[in-house]
């Protein structure tokens, strides 16, 4: 980790007025209120003008889920308790349908539950005694309540919102500490957790957390963040290493193409978009396309591998014979087009729900691709992205709104604890660094006076277990990216206390923590200030003509450093199992030229006609080696 250069403290929110922004979500809120009021007026007409008890109960059920059962809930009726319980059960079922809607994108379920409860109440009213007077009271009360709720909701929409503009007071810079130059043995043992999962056969997923494929524990996210973590490590310490690191990244990309990973979309597309189609790419689905695009773009930026630029290089093939062929440029072109066409400025992560975090990750893929290819997609959408993010996803108190509904315009109150405020900064720092700095300062200021156990959500969103592992790890990764060493060290300490790093068969992992949390822990422990920003800004100038480690055997050889610096290749290796002589293949050498290997003495070898050389390295614990062209050592 790199030392924190600035500590943000004493954030004083002040206010300023801005010009009226474009607010499509608030327009949707008004439309939703209008629709509900219209429904209530229709229900009132049916209730007061139609004498049929079944219609009256049905009409009452339109005011609220389960309300139809109150039609025969006279206090003098022996069935009062049954009617009341039926109403409560229906209302609880509706609340559950809302949760399922949020979790899976199933927009059909809430209205189905609501209308079904009204129909059932109507049918039941023909079999049970009812009290017209009591029903009328409930009907009138429901109408008044509905009108009040509708107008109250409309009045809460601010046409000229007050925005928080924090005055960041930066403390005096702390003394610099040395930047970490290599991975420790513990670090590479922790990395083995990712290597073991990535290097298994592509159609096998041993060691991944299989919970559900619709929410945060979905395996696709574990694949994404395993790749992000490997890209971060390669950028900082392994830029001159191909071998099994490159194979791991290729395998992770291939795993994303497995049908069991993306087949969830067939259901989500049907019940969320009301469309038939299994292809996970064309419709706004950035929880797949945006995250995968970032995975491929980061990998290209740190490795120089352009395989996924080729047409048809990324294929989602179904068991029914369908093939959906894409490439990284296809993803970026499609995402950019969708952003330009979106009235919301941001894109839905899953049907109907817009997450700032998911959009920040997606935006980094576009910016990374621009720097690699010399395109200008991000600048074309940046203004609208920023405008909508600030106007409808950052509240007046500065808190980030986790997600909003495109259908209703409604925003879910901030949930998820501190991580929902801190974690987005990891990606915002690459695309909108001023917003990232502001949000991090506000987060840090709020955290100062809070009980840390209460500040961090006690659910590991990577596997839904009762653990703060994901909250601690995500915040630590963001803290490192923001250069806040103080918070990073304190949160990592909390993580290690709650979920200690244990060593089993040469592999380290956090006990009782999800794979997703372990990925973020690796990013935090091995990151440096602005590391992800460095990746997104990369122009892909990885030089293939410089010496690099082309191949070593895994897990016999663990590579802790492989960097070409000045005029030589510098590497640090550990034996993954027993010590002894290990074979290593070098690439990027000048054909037929003699080189010197400095490791436990000096050894001279000659590259072959293809610019490669096979060496036997004696690994006894930490082994440092430097390779120079003969006569070129400085």
């Amino acid at each position: 980790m790199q030392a924190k250069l600035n500590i943000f403290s004493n954030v004083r929110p002040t206010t300023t007025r801005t010009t009226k922004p474009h607010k499509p979500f608030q327009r949707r809120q008004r439309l939703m209120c209008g629709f509900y009021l219209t429904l209530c007026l229709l229900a009132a007409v049916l209730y007061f003008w139609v004498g049929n008890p079944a219609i009256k109960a049905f009409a009452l059920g339109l005011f609220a889920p389960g309300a139809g059962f109150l039609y025969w809930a006279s206090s003098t009726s022996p069935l009062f308790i049954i009617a009341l319980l039926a109403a409560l059960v229906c209302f609880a079922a509706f609340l559950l349908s809302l949760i399922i809607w949020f979790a899976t994108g199933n927009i059909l379920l809430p209205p189905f539950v609501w209308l079904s409860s009204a129909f059932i109440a109507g049918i039941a009213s023909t079999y049970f005694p009812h009290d017209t007077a009591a029903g009328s009271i409930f009907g009138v009360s429901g109408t008044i309540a509905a009108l009040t709720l509708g107008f109250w909701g409309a009045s809460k929409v601010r046409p000229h919102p007050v925005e928080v503009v924090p005055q960041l007071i930066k403390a005096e810079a702390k003394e610099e500490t040395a930047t970490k130059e290599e991975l420790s043995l513990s670090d590479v043992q922790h990395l083995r957790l990712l290597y073991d999962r990535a290097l298994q056969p592509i159609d096998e997923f041993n060691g991944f957390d299989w919970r559900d494929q619709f929410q945060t524990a979905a395996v696709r996210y574990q694949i994404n963040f395993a790749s992000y973590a490997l890209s971060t490590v390669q950028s900082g310490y392994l830029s001159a290493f191909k071998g099994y690191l490159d194979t791991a990244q290729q395998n992770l990309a291939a795993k994303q193409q497995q049908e069991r990973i993306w087949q969830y979309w067939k259901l989500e597309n049907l019940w969320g978009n009301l469309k038939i189609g299994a292809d996970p790419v064309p419709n706004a689905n950035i929880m797949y396309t945006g995250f995968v695009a970032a995975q491929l773009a980061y990998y290209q930026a740190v490795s120089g591998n352009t395989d996924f630029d080729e047409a048809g290089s990324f294929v989602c093939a179904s068991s029914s014979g369908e093939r959906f062929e894409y490439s990284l440029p296809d993803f970026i072109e499609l995402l950019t087009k969708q952003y330009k066409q979106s009235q919301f400025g941001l894109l839905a992560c899953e049907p109907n729900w817009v997450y700032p975090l998911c959009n920040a990750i997606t935006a980094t893929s576009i910016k990374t691709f621009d720097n690699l290819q010399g395109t200008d997609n991000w600048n074309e959408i940046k203004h609208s992205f920023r405008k909508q993010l600030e106007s409808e996803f950052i509240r007046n108190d500065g808190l980030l709104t986790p997600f909003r509904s495109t259908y209703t315009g409604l925003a879910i109150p901030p949930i998820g604890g501190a991580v929902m405020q801190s974690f987005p900064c990891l990606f915002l720092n690459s695309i909108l660094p001023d917003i990232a700095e502001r949000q991090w300062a506000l987060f840090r200021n709020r955290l100062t006076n809070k009980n840390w156990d209460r500040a961090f959500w006690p659910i590991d969103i990577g596997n839904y277990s009762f653990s703060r592992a994901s909250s601690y790890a995500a915040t630590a990764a963001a803290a490192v990216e923001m250069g806040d060493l103080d918070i990073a060290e304190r949160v990592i300490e909390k993580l290690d206390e709650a979920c200690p790093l244990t060593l089993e068969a040469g592999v380290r992992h956090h006990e009782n923590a999800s794979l997703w949390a372990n990925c973020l822990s690796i990013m935090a422990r091995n990151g440096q200030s602005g590391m992800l920003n460095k990746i997104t800004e990369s122009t892909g100038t990885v030089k293939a003509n410089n010496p690099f480690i082309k191949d070593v055997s895994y897990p016999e050889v663990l590579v802790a450093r492989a960097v070409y610096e000045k005029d030589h290749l510098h590497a640090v290796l550990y034996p993954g199992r027993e010590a002894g002589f290990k074979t290593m293949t070098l690439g990027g050498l000048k054909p037929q030229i003699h080189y010197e290997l400095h490791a436990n003495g000096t050894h001279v070898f000659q590259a072959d006609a293809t610019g490669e050389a096979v060496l036997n390295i004696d690994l006894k614990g930490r082994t440092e080696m430097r390779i120079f062209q003969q006569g070129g050592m400085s």
Side-chain angles (χ1 to χ4, degrees):
M1 266 181 239
Q2 184 171 319
K4 174 168 67 77
L5 301 181
N6 293 293
I7 302 175
F8 304 116
S9 60
N10 302 321
V11 179
R12 300 194 311 266
T14 60
T15 60
T16 185
R17 293 280 180 180
T18 61
T19 57
K20 183 177 180 179
H22 174 60
K23 289 184 171 288
F25 285 103
Q26 291 190 359
R27 286 205 307 273
R28 290 295 173 94
Q29 288 177 4
R30 294 187 181 97
L31 289 172
M32 188 66 182
C33 287
F35 173 79
Y36 181 57
L37 286 174
T38 302
L39 180 65
C40 289
L41 290 173
L42 174 62
V45 169
L46 289 174
Y47 184 85
F48 289 111
W49 288 7
V50 178
N52 188 305
I55 298 299
K56 284 183 176 290
F58 172 76
L60 198 58
L62 295 180
F63 285 114
F69 292 97
L70 300 179
Y71 180 66
W72 44 281
S74 169
S75 60
T76 61
S77 170
L79 299 174
F80 173 78
I81 297 299
I82 295 177
L84 188 60
L85 286 176
L88 291 175
V89 167
C90 286
F91 189 73
F94 179 72
L95 293 180
L96 178 61
S97 74
L98 292 178
I99 295 173
I100 295 174
W101 171 35
F102 161 69
T104 68
N106 190 337
I107 188 60
L108 299 176
L109 192 58
F112 174 78
V113 172
W114 191 331
L115 290 175
S116 295
S117 68
F119 275 114
I120 294 172
I123 295 172
S125 68
T126 62
Y127 296 98
F128 297 101
H130 56 273
D131 189 319
T132 304
S136 298
I137 292 173
F138 282 117
V140 173
S141 300
T143 302
I144 294 174
L147 289 170
T148 302
L149 177 63
F151 285 115
W152 176 83
S155 68
K156 295 299 288 182
V157 177
R158 295 176 180 268
H160 298 283
V162 177
E163 296 181 357
V164 172
V165 182
Q167 305 299 317
L168 304 182
I169 302 176
K170 299 183 180 180
E172 185 175 347
K174 285 190 173 183
E175 183 179 353
E176 291 277 358
T177 59
T179 300
K180 180 176 175 179
E181 293 188 349
E182 67 181 70
L183 302 173
S184 67
L185 176 59
S186 178
D187 293 332
V188 292
Q189 289 171 337
H190 201 181
L191 270 179
R192 285 192 59 185
L193 187 73
L194 307 188
Y195 288 140
D196 284 355
R197 282 146 184 78
L199 295 173
Q200 65 183 307
I202 292 169
D203 59 352
E204 293 183 9
F205 291 85
N206 298 322
F208 287 87
D209 294 314
W210 286 91
R211 297 294 184 271
D212 79 296
Q213 299 311 305
F214 296 101
Q215 267 301 313
T216 56
V219 175
R220 61 181 175 276
Y221 298 138
Q222 299 167 44
I223 298 172
N224 291 142
F225 278 85
S227 179
Y228 298 168
L230 291 178
S231 290
T232 300
V233 169
Q234 183 165 13
S235 177
Y237 311 97
L238 304 176
S239 57
F241 176 41
K242 301 290 186 181
Y244 57 77
L245 173 56
D246 199 65
T247 303
Q249 289 281 37
Q250 290 279 345
N251 284 5
L252 289 171
K255 286 182 181 295
Q256 291 286 17
Q257 301 168 56
Q258 294 291 296
E259 185 177 13
R260 64 190 301 193
I261 298 300
W262 54 265
Q263 66 181 352
Y264 75 93
W265 183 246
K266 182 181 294 186
L267 281 175
E268 286 219 16
N269 198 27
L270 177 62
W271 64 40
N273 293 324
L274 307 184
K275 295 181 179 180
I276 297 176
D279 189 346
V281 176
N283 293 326
N285 176 26
I286 62 173
M287 63 178 171
Y288 186 77
T289 55
F291 283 52
V292 167
Q295 177 179 335
L296 302 181
Y298 297 168
Y299 167 52
Q300 183 177 139
V302 300
S303 69
N305 189 306
T306 60
D307 286 353
F308 292 102
D309 283 350
E310 300 297 323
S313 55
F314 192 94
V315 180
C316 296
S318 71
S319 55
S320 63
E322 292 181 297
R323 286 176 61 87
F324 311 115
E325 299 185 1
Y326 297 97
S327 64
L328 177 57
D330 291 335
F331 282 127
I332 301 302
E333 181 181 0
L334 179 63
L335 290 167
T336 303
K337 181 180 179 181
Q338 290 175 345
Y339 272 114
K340 289 179 178 179
Q341 295 175 345
S342 173
Q343 62 175 306
F344 302 105
L346 307 181
L347 297 178
C349 183
E350 49 196 317
N352 167 67
W353 295 105
V354 177
Y355 294 67
L357 172 60
C358 298
N359 278 271
I361 294 173
T362 300
T364 63
S365 73
I366 296 174
K367 185 176 179 182
T368 304
F369 182 84
D370 282 346
N371 285 315
L372 291 171
Q373 304 291 338
T375 51
D376 201 38
N377 298 298
W378 171 239
N379 285 331
E380 293 178 5
I381 63 175
K382 179 179 178 180
H383 174 72
S384 175
F385 189 103
R386 172 192 286 274
K387 184 178 180 181
Q388 293 307 118
L389 177 66
E390 293 203 286
S391 65
E392 296 204 283
F393 286 94
I394 299 179
R395 305 186 336 165
N396 292 341
D397 59 4
L399 287 174
L400 280 166
T401 298
F403 26 80
R404 277 187 178 273
S405 163
T406 59
Y407 293 153
T408 67
L410 298 177
I412 302 298
I415 62 173
V419 68
M420 290 305 294
Q421 304 302 316
S422 63
F423 189 40
C425 295
L426 172 63
F427 301 95
L428 286 172
N429 191 51
S430 295
I431 55 170
L432 299 170
D434 57 320
I435 293 181
E437 184 177 274
R438 182 186 69 197
Q439 295 305 127
W440 185 260
L442 287 168
F443 157 75
R444 197 180 200 281
N445 188 62
R446 291 190 186 95
L447 194 62
T448 301
N449 300 318
K450 283 189 176 182
N451 180 305
W452 278 39
D453 287 340
R454 294 181 179 179
F456 293 94
W457 217 28
I459 303 295
D460 186 336
I461 65 173
N463 61 10
Y464 310 138
S465 65
F466 289 100
S467 163
R468 290 183 171 84
S470 64
S471 295
Y472 288 146
T475 298
V480 172
E481 177 69 20
M482 297 304 298
D484 195 335
L485 182 61
D486 177 46
I487 292 294
E489 289 182 341
R490 292 167 65 186
V491 178
I492 288 176
E493 183 179 345
K494 286 280 187 182
L495 173 61
D496 289 343
E497 289 175 359
C499 304
L501 269 175
T502 61
L503 181 65
E504 295 182 13
V507 181
R508 290 193 185 274
H509 71 283
H510 286 286
E511 286 186 352
N512 304 318
S514 65
L515 177 59
W516 190 81
N518 274 277
C519 292
L520 286 164
S521 174
I522 289 171
M523 292 178 71
R525 293 171 186 277
N526 304 304
Q528 299 172 10
S529 177
M531 177 63 78
L532 192 59
N533 185 44
K534 174 186 174 183
I535 292 175
T536 61
E537 295 289 348
S538 172
T539 57
T541 55
V542 178
K543 296 182 179 180
N545 293 328
N546 290 331
F548 62 90
I549 299 175
K550 182 177 180 180
D551 189 38
V552 288
S553 179
Y554 176 82
E556 281 71 22
V557 179
L558 303 179
V559 184
R561 177 175 170 82
V563 176
Y564 185 81
E565 49 189 14
K566 295 182 180 179
D567 55 356
H568 69 283
L569 172 65
H570 181 211
V572 176
L573 312 176
Y574 287 92
R577 292 175 176 167
E578 65 278 356
F581 283 92
K582 311 294 179 184
T583 300
M584 179 175 67
T585 302
L586 299 178
L589 305 173
K590 295 179 180 179
Q592 309 297 344
I593 297 298
H594 286 84
Y595 287 83
E596 294 180 6
L597 166 64
H598 295 260
N600 301 319
T602 301
H603 311 274
V604 178
F605 65 92
Q606 184 180 18
D608 65 16
T610 65
E612 295 184 2
V614 178
L615 306 179
N616 287 319
I617 307 297
D618 187 11
L619 291 188
K620 295 178 180 177
R622 178 184 180 276
T623 301
E624 184 174 7
M625 50 181 278
R626 297 178 186 272
I627 295 175
F628 296 85
Q629 184 175 331
Q630 192 173 35
M633 180 177 176
S634 58

